[in-house]
């Protein structure tokens, strides 16, 4: 575990010398004191990224050369996947197999964007057909400049890769600020960048608290682009900070995603995907399908089966064999989720299962998988993101009712539908007001496909080609090709 920040290719102590504690959520032990970067460190990191962009080789080398570095990073990440997965578990709490899966996905993200960096060389410009034959026009794409990335704690290294890999592929330089709850693997990513010989200043990692390090990064006048993943309130602050200097900004925010289950669904498949949609990563997933809408006739049988299966989930330290549900990330998150459940009950919800600390797990931020029913559509637990293993289940009458209820939210990140009727699934998928829709499943995510939300769930898209475009400017070059005078003034 590292005690220094990574700025301009060097490991350096924070200017103010501060640290913040890193806690293992399964044991509540302080496992590390991470370097607490502040505005002074952000100034140094942005200056390094600025120099690397303005005068360094990175934006000037070919896409193929940049791809070589990205592929080397992917290889190093894969080589270290068990160790990096272990760090994610003691930092975030998730079960080890999930953490290792995340690390493999992270490596895959670097490889994918290596391929897109090469494609930039293969398609360096696009000719635009003009209505005026005396002119020609072409479009070239260029890196935006210095990018600032601020990320959350739920998928620490994977969320970093969704920003670092496309930014580097595009030729941008970056300052990365990971969450103060999970700073460990971002510093390892810096070590990997150093190991593969990434030029100094291309990737800088400053750990620290949101207001002390994140805010100065979002407000820094030399940052050209802000890429943020996190909560809606912080997203609003980032957008306000970006407004001052008209920075390009992309936001991946929260959700309260619906899962509509029609009565013709296979009950086993429905229950398994519902559980995957809300208990994976302890429900701390932006796209978690936390509102389950079940057609009335299927509801009693489905609820009974869901409760029966939820009771079988093995809860424990993410490092223990067989654990499927680890602790929540922090005491604050544990308290927040319990407070939400209590509020939901006061507003009329019933606990069908869970809702409390599991018996025998007195230390660690553990919570039983929780199933809430009987809530009204105005109940806080039905409307607001809980970000824990808590699913709300309600009935719907018919397709129109399901679509109305599903879309009645200020969020629009994801939505899922299950039915044996493929035509109906397609119809409902089109009717959802959400950026990501799953048919007959919930949560599988692919680096090749775009990711992002409607409404308050964000602005812009990550992953796929859309992720690369976040870091590219579009330059349009028009030439007057005629030998004739223009003939306006003369
Ligand atoms: P958060 O908003 O509390 O923090 C996110 C990051 O912002 C952290 O690095 C934090 O230090 C930083 N930050 C805090 N205050 C800041 C400020 N004033 N200025 C600049 N930076 C600041 O979110 P979180 O609790 O870490 O993450 C959970 C949230 O993230 C949930 O709402 C979840 O839905 C969302 N999320 C969204 C996606 C997506 O792809 N849409 C993915 C993962 C998580």
């Amino acid at each position: 575990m590292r005690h220094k920040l990574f700025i301009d290719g060097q490991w350096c102590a924070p200017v103010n010398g501060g640290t913040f504690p890193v806690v293992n959520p399964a044991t509540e032990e302080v496992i590390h004191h991470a370097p607490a970067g502040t505005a002074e460190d952000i100034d140094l990191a942005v200056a390094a990224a600025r120099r690397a962009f303005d005068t360094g080789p990175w934006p000037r080398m070919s896409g193929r050369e940049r791809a070589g570095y990205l592929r080397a990073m992917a290889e190093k990440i894969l080589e270290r996947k068990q160790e990096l997965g272990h760090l994610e578990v003691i930092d975030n709490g998730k079960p080890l197999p999930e953490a290792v899966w995340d690390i493999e996905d992270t490596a895959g993200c670097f490889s994918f964007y290596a391929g897109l960096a090469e494609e930039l060389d293969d398609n360096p410009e696009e000719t635009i057909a003009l209505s005026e034959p005396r002119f020609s026009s072409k479009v070239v794409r260029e890196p935006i400049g210095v990018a600032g990335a601020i990320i959350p704690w739920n998928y620490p290294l994977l969320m970093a890769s969704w920003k670092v890999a496309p930014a580097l592929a595009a030729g941008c330089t970056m300052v990365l600020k990971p969450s103060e709850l999970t700073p460990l693997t971002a510093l390892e990513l810096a070590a990997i960048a150093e190991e593969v010989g990434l030029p100094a200043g291309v990737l800088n990692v400053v750990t620290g608290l949101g207001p002390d390090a994140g805010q100065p990064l979002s407000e820094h006048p030399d940052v050209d682009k802000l890429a943020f993943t996190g909560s809606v309130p912080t997203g609003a602050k980032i957008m306000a900070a970006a407004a001052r200097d008209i920075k390009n900004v992309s936001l991946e925010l929260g959700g309260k995603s619906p899962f509509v289950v029609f009565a013709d669904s296979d009950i086993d498949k429905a229950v398994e995907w519902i559980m995957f949609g809300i208990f994976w990563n302890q429900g701390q997933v932006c796209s978690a399908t936390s509102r389950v809408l079940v057609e009335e006739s299927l509801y009693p049988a489905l609820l009974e089966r869901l409760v029966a299966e939820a009771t079988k989930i093995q809860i424990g330290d993410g490092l223990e064999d067989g654990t499927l549900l680890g602790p929540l990330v922090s005491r604050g998150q544990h308290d927040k989720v319990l407070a939400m459940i209590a509020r939901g009950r006061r507003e009329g919800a019933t606990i069908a299962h869970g809702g409390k600390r599991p018996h025998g797990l007195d230390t660690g931020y553990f919570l039983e998988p929780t199933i809430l029913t009987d809530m009204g559509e105005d109940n806080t637990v039905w409307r607001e993101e809980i970000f824990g293993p808590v699913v709300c289940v309600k009935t719907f009458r018919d397709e129109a009712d399901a679509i109305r209820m599903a879309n009645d939210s200020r969020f629009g990140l994801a939505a899922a539908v299950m039915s044996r009727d493929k035509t109906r699934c397609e119809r409902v998928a089109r009717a959802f007001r959400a950026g990501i829709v799953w048919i007959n499943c919930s949560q599988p995510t692919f680096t090749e496909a775009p990711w992002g939300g409607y409404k308050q769930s964000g602005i812009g898209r990550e992953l796929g080609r859309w992720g690369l475009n976040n870091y590219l400017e579009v330059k349009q070059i028009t030439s007057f090709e005629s030998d004739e005078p223009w003939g306006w003034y003369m």
Side-chain angles (χ1 to χ4, degrees), residues 74-127:
E75 270 169 37
K76 296 274 175 213
I77 291 166
L78 268 190
E79 274 168 23
R80 294 178 57 188
K81 73 176 179 183
Q82 290 299 338
E83 176 211 339
L84 292 170
H86 187 276
L87 279 180
E88 295 287 53
V89 177
I90 61 174
D91 211 3
N92 164 282
K94 63 179 70 195
L96 184 62
E98 287 190 31
V100 173
W101 175 319
D102 292 354
I103 303 300
E104 287 170 353
D105 244 11
T106 302
C109 183
F110 276 89
S111 301
F112 174 78
Y113 282 105
L116 290 198
E118 287 166 346
E119 273 185 31
L120 287 175
D121 289 356
D122 297 338
N123 304 304
E125 57 186 51
E126 184 189 341
T127 305

Side-chain angles (χ1 to χ4, degrees), residues 2-14 35 41 44-45 48 174-176 186-195 197-207:
R2 293 173 194 271
H3 296 274
K4 292 189 169 170
L5 310 172
F6 188 68
I7 297 175
D8 207 11
Q10 306 289 324
W11 293 96
C12 34
D41 304 291
L44 293 171
M174 181 167 262
V175 178
L176 170 67
L187 291 170
E188 293 310 313
L189 187 67
I192 286 169
E194 183 185 33
E195 228 179 301
L198 202 71
V202 172
L203 176 64
N204 307 274
V205 179
V206 178
T207 50

Side-chain angles (χ1 to χ4, degrees), residues 149-155 159 162-163 177-181 208-219 228-235 237-238 241 251-255 284-287 329 333 336 385 387 411 413 436 451-453 457-458 462:
I150 300 175
I151 57 165
W153 44 261
N154 60 342
Y155 290 92
M159 288 297 105
W162 287 16
K163 295 178 177 24
K177 206 298 277 174
S179 168
E180 54 272 46
L181 293 177
L209 308 187
D212 298 349
Q215 191 177 332
L217 179 58
S218 66
E219 291 173 349
F228 174 75
T229 299
S231 62
V232 172
T234 313
K237 286 185 196 163
I238 302 279
L251 304 172
E252 298 285 353
L253 308 178
Q284 301 164 137
V285 182
C286 52
S287 56
V329 72
Q333 191 65 15
K336 188 186 138 201
E385 186 178 49
F387 226 57
F411 298 107
L413 186 58
I436 303 145
W451 181 272
S457 289
E462 291 195 306

Side-chain angles (χ1 to χ4, degrees), residues 249-419:
V249 62
S250 46
L251 304 172
E252 298 285 353
L253 308 178
K256 189 74 190 177
S257 301
F259 191 161
V260 172
V261 182
F262 283 96
D264 65 349
S265 301
D266 177 298
I267 204 159
D268 286 354
K269 289 184 182 146
V271 167
E272 175 152 42
W273 283 113
I274 289 170
M275 294 207 298
F276 195 71
I278 190 63
F279 299 142
W280 174 253
N281 208 32
Q282 294 65 248
Q284 301 164 137
V285 182
C286 52
S287 56
T289 31
S290 52
R291 289 187 295 145
V292 171
L293 293 88
V294 188
E295 197 167 1
E296 278 168 347
S297 61
L298 185 67
Y299 179 79
L302 184 133
L303 184 63
E304 191 185 339
R305 187 66 197 281
L306 183 61
V307 169
E309 294 300 325
T311 56
K312 295 181 198 161
I313 293 175
Q314 185 176 321
I315 311 168
D317 189 321
L319 294 177
E320 276 163 24
D321 267 358
T323 293
L324 279 174
L325 193 77
L328 300 187
V329 72
S330 65
R331 179 178 297 283
Q333 191 65 15
H334 194 250
D335 290 349
K336 188 186 138 201
V337 174
L338 282 173
M340 283 290 269
I341 295 170
R343 181 164 177 183
R345 286 187 77 182
R346 283 199 303 279
E347 293 176 13
T350 304
I351 298 182
H353 178 69
K356 58 185 189 315
R357 180 180 273 284
H359 184 67
L361 285 172
D362 300 330
T363 306
Y365 309 126
F366 294 99
L367 179 68
E368 291 174 333
T370 300
I371 301 166
L372 301 179
T373 56
D374 302 328
M375 70 291 295
E377 283 184 59
D378 55 352
N379 191 307
T380 306
V381 291
W382 184 256
R383 303 209 72 80
E384 296 302 325
E385 186 178 49
I386 299 175
F387 226 57
V390 183
V391 65
C392 298
V393 191
K394 272 183 87 61
T395 58
F396 68 85
R397 279 190 312 280
D398 54 22
E399 189 176 312
D401 193 33
I403 292 167
R404 178 196 61 75
M405 288 169 76
N407 286 339
D408 181 19
S409 171
R410 69 188 167 102
F411 298 107
L413 186 58
V417 55
M418 179 167 275
S419 165

